[in-house]
Amino acid sequence: MTSSADASLDPATGESGRGSDVVQSLARGLAVIRAFDAEHPELTLSDVARRADITRAAAGRFLRTLEQLGYVRAAGRTFSLTPRVLELGFSYLSALSIPEIVQPHLERLSREVDESVSAAVLDGGDIVYIARVPTRRIMSVRITIGTRFPAFATSMGRVLLAGLRAGSLDELLEASALPSLTERTLTDPHALRAELDRVRAQGWSLVDGELEPGLRSVAVPLHDRRGDVVAAVNVSTSATRDSVDHVVNEYLPPLQRTADAIDAELRLV
């Protein structure tokens, strides 16, 4: 006979869900998917368990389930995601319409400045790339759609953070770690808030070597019909190729014109 306590156990994890609306098995299944990224496209069972912070047994159950559903493929001892995982984000991207609107503008901007340009949205304390036109590789990490970086150390992240309402910004910053990614990274909370105030006032952000040494980027926000900041676009370049003055004088004006054109279309969505 099954007790009421046993009936409340999650069949995938063996954990009780009593007193909570959180479905632990779903949360851990999503953690397994997020364990894979551009730097870790293939993982062993042990890798998945460690990166998702679950047991090997649970990782095995989730991987077998995802494989049966077509989201994961197995090759010997390693696992990798299949293109089907794109379905999970398709509804969001389709409803948002921003990537489709932004992409042709980014292509024109990239031709004009002959540099890599991108668009991103804010997800918690990270930015997530939703569109990109690369001209050359300027980072050690390959950037693709879905790539995430800490918002506080990026130009797009700072204009997105600056666009948050005060209460939301306070909550996010209090919950976020500010690790030193390079010797230039701004990690003092008070200094970061002051910088965000400056970004909000001037309407753009320039980050010089804070995410990765030698990387410079300038970003501006994108707005919806209500005037809320919903995304950001940037131009990124190498410090060995372009000075800070060149970035501000030559890249910022066409970037701002591009943002104005995108905003005009977003107001119609």
Side-chain angles (χ1 to χ4, degrees), residues 39-181:
E39 293 182 80
H40 306 88
E42 295 185 353
L43 297 171
T44 65
L45 176 60
S46 297
D47 292 335
V48 171
R50 184 180 66 257
R51 288 175 60 79
D53 194 23
I54 57 178
T55 65
R56 279 174 51 90
R61 289 194 292 270
F62 288 124
L63 286 168
R64 287 192 295 273
T65 301
L66 290 169
E67 183 181 10
Q68 185 176 357
L69 295 173
Y71 294 112
V72 165
R73 68 167 59 92
R77 297 179 59 252
T78 63
F79 299 86
S80 60
L81 297 180
T82 72
R84 191 171 186 179
V85 297
L86 296 175
E87 295 176 357
L88 300 176
F90 181 75
S91 296
Y92 167 75
L93 293 176
S94 296
L96 195 61
S97 297
I98 293 178
E100 184 178 3
I101 291 172
V102 163
Q103 190 64 34
H105 292 279
L106 295 189
E107 292 171 358
R108 285 192 290 271
L109 176 61
S110 181
R111 288 195 296 269
E112 181 178 356
V113 300
D114 192 29
E115 293 292 349
S116 298
V117 299
S118 307
V121 295
L122 190 65
D123 181 24
D126 294 337
I127 61 167
V128 180
Y129 281 72
I130 60 170
R132 179 166 168 79
V133 180
T135 59
R136 53 182 68 85
R137 186 164 180 174
I138 57 176
M139 289 194 68
S140 60
V141 177
R142 179 169 172 262
I143 300 175
T144 59
I145 304 305
T147 294
R148 308 172 74 94
F149 289 124
F152 82 97
T154 66
S155 60
M156 288 193 288
R158 286 185 181 169
V159 296
L160 290 167
L161 292 173
L164 292 175
R165 291 179 173 83
S168 299
L169 177 61
D170 290 341
E171 290 180 8
L172 193 152
L173 291 181
E174 288 172 4
S176 298
L178 304 178
S180 180
L181 304 175

